Amino acid sequence: MTEMSYLDGNMLDGPLRELFAVDLSAATGRCQSCGMVGPMAALHVFSHAPGLVARCPACAEVMLRLVRAPDRAWLDLRGTTFLQVPMPAQQPFPRPL
Ligand SMILES: [Zn+2]
């Protein structure tokens, strides 16, 4: 891969927040290529393509692609084995009356 400038994964927060109600930059992901587990905010994000391409900081394989058109978006997570998303603690169910 040639040297290109990139932004860190924190910049994915705005574009992904439009799709998901949770902050995915706070999520943890596993790279399908090398198995590294780390924060999505650590990904190297390239915006020189028709969309955003986020690469693993360890092996540089693509973990996420996001393309936004005026009326739709495409999210490709083929390079990500899983996303672990922090969630608020589940509230106990209210007792029936
Ligand atoms: Zn990797």
Side-chain angles (χ1 to χ4, degrees), residues 18 67-74:
E18 194 180 1
V67 175
R68 179 73 162 88
D71 62 344
R72 66 196 71 199
W74 290 264

Side-chain angles (χ1 to χ4, degrees), residues 15-40:
L16 289 176
R17 188 176 295 254
E18 194 180 1
L19 287 180
F20 300 99
V22 296
D23 176 6
L24 285 185
S25 69
T28 299
R30 181 177 193 270
C31 174
Q32 185 179 23
S33 175
C34 74
M36 190 205 79
V37 176
M40 295 302 280

Side-chain angles (χ1 to χ4, degrees), residues 12-66:
L12 292 172
D13 180 43
L16 289 176
R17 188 176 295 254
E18 194 180 1
L19 287 180
F20 300 99
V22 296
D23 176 6
L24 285 185
S25 69
T28 299
R30 181 177 193 270
C31 174
Q32 185 179 23
S33 175
C34 74
M36 190 205 79
V37 176
M40 295 302 280
L43 299 182
H44 296 177
V45 181
F46 297 85
S47 57
H48 318 292
L52 301 173
V53 175
R55 292 181 175 273
C56 172
C59 73
E61 283 298 317
V62 175
M63 289 180 63
L64 177 151
R65 296 173 190 87
L66 176 63

